[in-house]
Amino acid sequence: MAAAVCVVGVSSSCAACNLRCSPIGRSQVAAGRLDLSTSLFLDSSSSCCSKRALFSPKQRKKMKKKKLSIAGKGGFGGQYEDSYEDVKSQIVDYFTYKAVRTVLNQLYEMNPPQYRWFYNYIASNEHGYGKTFIRELVKEKLELAERVMVTRLHLYGRWIKKCDHVEMYERISDQNLELMRERLIETVIWPSDDTNTEVVG
């Protein structure tokens, strides 16, 4: 539990052995100095929870060679060195979706017959809003496909100007902290208050 709380940057004590956790600062992450080894979570001065007390000599030797990292290749997260192509394609697909909705709203106001056609086309869409969607739309209605492509580029350009990466990082960090607090509150057993109970007799 102490390690989990430390991950979100809160210093706390371990109930079992008075362990003091060393919280992770944002400056460490920003400077690229975040090391996910066990030493982040365990205070070396603690006698009962030091690496020496928790792990056998064989395990300590393995730990020196291998540090904890985010899921490896083929895992869910990938390594930090990965290109995040999946994230990039999700962003492109999302802006295609936003562009389709924008064009649909414009057609509703200006061109009801074309709106009805496009609405039915979207309703019958089974491929999501990726490259295949645009490719099929080009074959059906070139002018609509071009309009969607121009609109998604425009929307992305507007988003890039407004996107604050520091704010996004802080939002994720704050959400992590909030979720950990919620879980901690759920797991705490509160003492029952018997002072207000009346004895009937």
Side-chain angles (χ1 to χ4, degrees):
M1 176 56 88
V5 176
C6 287
V7 170
V8 292
V10 177
S11 180
S12 64
S13 299
C14 176
C17 57
N18 297 324
L19 166 70
R20 289 299 295 174
C21 300
S22 50
I24 300 169
R26 287 184 182 161
S27 58
Q28 285 177 288
V29 177
R33 295 192 307 259
L34 182 60
D35 178 20
L36 297 178
S37 65
T38 318
S39 60
L40 264 177
F41 305 117
L42 299 178
D43 184 359
S44 56
S45 63
S46 173
S47 58
C48 67
C49 283
S50 65
K51 283 184 189 179
R52 189 171 295 280
L54 288 173
F55 304 103
S56 68
K58 199 175 198 180
Q59 289 172 322
R60 288 197 306 271
K61 193 173 182 182
K62 281 183 182 177
M63 285 172 63
K64 283 181 184 176
K65 291 180 183 175
K66 189 176 183 181
K67 304 231 181 215
L68 179 67
S69 65
I70 306 303
K73 290 203 181 228
F76 293 112
Q79 297 291 345
Y80 282 122
E81 307 87 53
D82 283 353
S83 61
Y84 289 100
E85 282 301 321
D86 56 336
V87 176
K88 292 172 188 175
S89 71
Q90 287 290 326
I91 289 171
V92 172
D93 291 354
Y94 178 71
F95 277 99
T96 305
Y97 165 80
K98 292 281 279 183
V100 165
R101 294 296 165 203
T102 303
V103 170
L104 197 62
N105 287 335
Q106 291 167 351
L107 292 174
Y108 180 79
E109 297 290 332
M110 298 182 294
N111 192 339
Q114 203 166 33
Y115 164 80
R116 278 193 295 276
W117 183 91
F118 198 32
Y119 180 87
N120 291 332
Y121 180 81
I122 292 166
S124 64
N125 170 40
E126 297 176 357
H127 303 292
Y129 291 95
K131 206 176 195 176
T132 309
F133 176 83
I134 300 284
R135 186 179 288 130
E136 296 301 318
L137 186 58
V138 165
K139 292 175 187 173
E140 295 286 331
K141 292 241 182 196
L142 179 61
E143 69 281 357
L144 265 181
E146 287 174 348
R147 190 167 174 176
V148 168
M149 288 189 278
V150 168
T151 304
R152 73 176 175 172
L153 198 58
H154 174 71
L155 290 172
Y156 181 75
R158 281 174 54 192
W159 177 75
I160 277 293
K161 289 174 186 171
K162 291 183 179 181
C163 180
D164 183 350
H165 296 290
V166 175
E167 182 200 347
M168 289 300 296
Y169 177 85
E170 286 177 356
R171 187 181 292 191
I172 294 168
S173 178
D174 291 344
Q175 191 179 93
N176 288 349
L177 183 58
E178 183 187 343
L179 291 167
M180 290 303 294
R181 278 183 183 150
E182 285 174 9
R183 183 61 189 144
L184 190 61
I185 288 167
E186 285 171 7
T187 55
V188 169
I189 300 169
W190 301 100
S192 59
D193 186 10
D194 297 331
T195 57
N196 294 332
T197 54
E198 294 179 14
V199 179
V200 179

